[in-house]
Amino acid sequence: MAVYQATASAPVNIACIKYWGKRDTKLILPTNSSLSVTLDQDHLRSTTTSRCDPSFEKDRLWLNGKEEEIKPGGRLAVCIEELRRLRKEVEKKADEPKISDFKLHICSYNNFPTAAGLASSASGFAALVSSVAALYKLPATPSQLSLISRQGSGSACRSLFGGFVAWEMGEKADGTDSFAVEVAPKDHWPEMHALICVVSDDKKGTSSTSGMQRTVETSALLQHRIKHVVPQRMADIKKAILAKDFDTFAKITMQDSNQFHAVALDTDPPIFYMNDVSRSIIALIVELNRASVAAGGKIKAAYTYDAGPNAVIYAPEGNLKEIINLIVTYFPQADAFKDPFKMFAAGQEEPGKLPLPAGFNEAVAKKFDVGSVKGLIHTRVGDGPRVLDDSEALLDASGMPKTLA
C-alpha cells in the first residue's frame, strides 16, 4: 500500500521593520508592511512531517512531542483546509490519487524554545504548510504558499523565503494581495550575521496576538507609524539591502525596533516586553557604534527586539568576534560559548576575556550576574524551506510520532 508522506523544515525570521497590528484578525491582514531576515536553518528551524492515510480517523497534530487540539475554524484548521482545497484542484486536473479526503497526521518539532520571543509560530506554520504542500504535490510558488501560512501566523509568510523578505500588506479585503516576496536571496549578502541573546526562555506575559490588537484599539502613535513612518522605511531599507549598505540598514533596524516598543508602551494599558537586561544590551550596542564612528569608522551592529526581551544583533561577519566578546564581558555565560564560525582561537582566546574596543566607555552598563543572558546563538542569513528525505521523518511506520514528550 502506498505511503503518502513528506517532511520539510522551515527557518526562523527576525523582522527589521516590525509587523504589529491587524486590519483583519480572521484573515491576518496587517496594518503595515514588514521586512525580515531569514536565519540559517542549520541553527534554528522547525521540522514537520505530514502523512495522510485512509486509516486515520481525524486530523491530528503533535508539537514537540505533545498532541495539540486542532480547533474547528482555528488557524491550524484554516491552513489545512486551504491546502486540501488546492489538492482537490490538482486531483481534478491531473491523474493523481484522491488523497485529499484522507485525514492527516502532522508532527512538528522546534529545535529551540517555543513562545520564547524567538518566532516559533513563524517557522512552525511555514514548515507545516511546506510539508503538506510537498505531500500534496502542489504546484504553488512560495508567495502563493505564503498566503496560506499567513493565515496561521502572520510572520510565517516571511519564512517561506530565504534571504531578505518583505511581507507586502496589500489593500484588498480578501487578502489575496497580502503575501511575502523576496527582496534579495541569502547569497546576495552572505556576510550578514546575527547574534541572538536569549534573555528569557519563559512564555511571554502578553501574547503578540492579544497585545497587537490592544495597540490597534488604543495607540495614537500606531496610527502615525503605519501611515507616515513605515512606508518610507520599507522603501529605504530595501534600497539599503540591495546596495549592501549596512550603515543605513542598521539605523533603520534600530529605529524601527525602538518605535515598535514605543507603540507597545503607548498601548492602554501599556505593554512592556523589554527588561533591564534588554535595555543594557541596547546601551552596549549604542556605545560600540558611537566609539567606532568617533574613531572614523562605521556603525558596527544593529539591535532589534520582537515581542519579548531577547535581543537579536545584526552585524557584518567581521564584527561578530568583537560583539560576542562585548556581550560576554557584561553578561557572563554559565556554559562555554558555542562558536560555530570559529571566531575565537581555540585554547588561546576566550569570549569575555579580550580587551574592549579603544574609546569604549565601560560605564554605560553594569556587569550582570551569570545567567542574566541564558544563552547566545550565533547564526547568519539563511535559505527558505527545505523538503527533507524520509530519514528525517518524525512519524513512524504506523503514522504516529517517533518520540513523545
Side-chain angles (χ1 to χ4, degrees):
M1 173 129 178
V3 173
Y4 301 107
Q5 177 173 290
T7 301
S9 66
V12 167
N13 74 76
I14 301 289
C16 303
I17 305 291
K18 303 297 189 188
Y19 149 56
W20 194 251
K22 301 182 186 81
R23 60 189 167 92
D24 184 313
T25 54
K26 178 74 180 129
L27 292 173
I28 308 192
L29 301 178
T31 52
N32 62 270
S33 297
S34 54
L35 184 141
S36 57
V37 181
T38 298
L39 300 181
D40 193 336
Q41 289 174 74
D42 291 345
H43 307 126
L44 297 165
R45 69 186 169 277
S46 296
T47 304
T48 302
T49 298
S50 52
R51 184 189 299 191
C52 60
D53 193 272
S55 70
F56 295 164
E57 293 175 1
K58 62 175 185 174
D59 292 333
R60 297 177 74 182
L61 170 84
W62 293 266
L63 174 60
N64 294 331
K66 281 176 66 181
E67 187 160 11
E68 303 269 328
E69 184 188 358
I70 301 176
K71 295 179 181 137
R75 294 178 177 192
L76 271 166
V78 167
C79 286
I80 290 167
E81 286 316 307
E82 189 58 22
L83 290 159
R84 274 208 175 100
R85 185 185 68 75
L86 293 177
R87 172 64 191 185
K88 280 189 164 62
E89 288 180 15
V90 169
E91 291 169 357
K92 275 183 207 160
K93 291 175 190 164
D95 184 23
E96 287 282 348
K98 305 286 189 281
I99 61 172
S100 57
D101 292 330
F102 299 170
K103 297 299 183 189
L104 284 161
H105 281 191
I106 300 167
C107 187
S108 192
Y109 175 76
N110 300 325
N111 72 342
F112 56 90
T114 303
L118 294 181
S120 56
S121 61
S123 56
F125 274 103
L128 183 147
V129 168
S130 299
S131 168
V132 178
L135 164 69
Y136 283 165
K137 297 186 166 63
L138 300 181
T141 65
S143 284
Q144 288 166 329
L145 290 179
S146 79
L147 288 165
I148 302 172
S149 63
R150 185 202 76 221
Q151 295 176 67
S153 168
S155 53
C157 73
R158 297 191 308 252
S159 280
L160 265 294
F161 287 94
F164 303 83
V165 188
W167 173 12
E168 303 295 357
M169 64 178 285
E171 294 173 358
K172 294 180 181 172
D174 66 359
T176 50
D177 60 348
S178 183
F179 52 78
V181 294
E182 182 186 83
V183 174
K186 70 163 189 170
D187 297 337
H188 167 72
W189 203 358
E191 303 82 11
M192 180 68 78
H193 278 227
L195 182 70
I196 301 170
C197 305
V198 182
V199 175
S200 168
D201 53 9
D202 297 333
K203 214 163 163 113
K204 290 182 290 210
T206 303
S207 79
S208 302
T209 302
S210 62
M212 68 173 68
Q213 283 323 102
R214 245 174 46 212
T215 303
V216 169
E217 289 157 16
T218 63
S219 170
L221 183 57
L222 179 75
Q223 298 308 314
H224 175 73
R225 167 176 168 72
I226 62 186
K227 287 176 190 145
H228 303 291
V229 180
V230 171
Q232 189 62 50
R233 280 189 185 158
M234 283 291 291
D236 292 346
I237 201 167
K238 284 177 187 174
K239 272 192 216 148
I241 289 164
L242 293 174
K244 296 192 262 196
D245 171 2
F246 184 76
D247 266 48
T248 303
F249 171 90
K251 283 176 189 164
I252 295 170
T253 295
M254 291 186 282
Q255 286 167 354
D256 209 72
S257 176
N258 295 343
Q259 190 176 76
F260 157 53
H261 287 276
V263 159
L265 193 61
D266 191 49
T267 302
D268 187 18
I271 304 169
F272 305 94
Y273 283 121
M274 291 198 287
N275 59 23
D276 287 347
V277 173
S278 314
R279 288 185 282 271
S280 293
I281 293 170
I282 290 178
L284 294 176
I285 298 304
V286 168
E287 176 60 15
L288 178 70
N289 289 335
R290 185 208 62 76
S292 175
V293 171
K298 296 191 157 198
I299 289 177
K300 290 196 163 176
Y303 60 78
T304 188
Y305 294 78
D306 282 338
N310 299 332
V312 177
I313 302 168
Y314 286 122
E317 181 178 9
N319 298 347
L320 260 291
K321 182 176 179 178
E322 187 172 55
I323 293 163
I324 293 161
N325 181 63
L326 174 63
I327 296 296
V328 178
T329 298
Y330 282 83
F331 301 99
Q333 298 294 292
D335 302 315
F337 172 65
K338 292 184 178 70
D339 191 9
F341 298 97
K342 304 288 180 276
M343 293 272 155
F344 296 87
Q348 297 170 42
E349 295 179 317
E350 192 181 328
K353 300 287 171 71
L354 304 179
L356 295 179
F360 185 92
N361 175 9
E362 296 186 28
V364 294
K366 66 165 191 162
K367 293 189 176 170
F368 281 72
D369 295 334
V370 173
S372 299
V373 169
K374 293 183 169 59
L376 298 170
I377 302 165
H378 180 186
T379 184
R380 62 185 168 190
V381 62
D383 58 352
R386 304 169 182 170
V387 176
L388 308 175
D389 64 35
D390 268 348
S391 67
E392 299 193 62
L394 303 175
L395 295 170
D396 65 19
S398 69
M400 295 297 285
K402 288 180 180 175
T403 52
L404 288 168

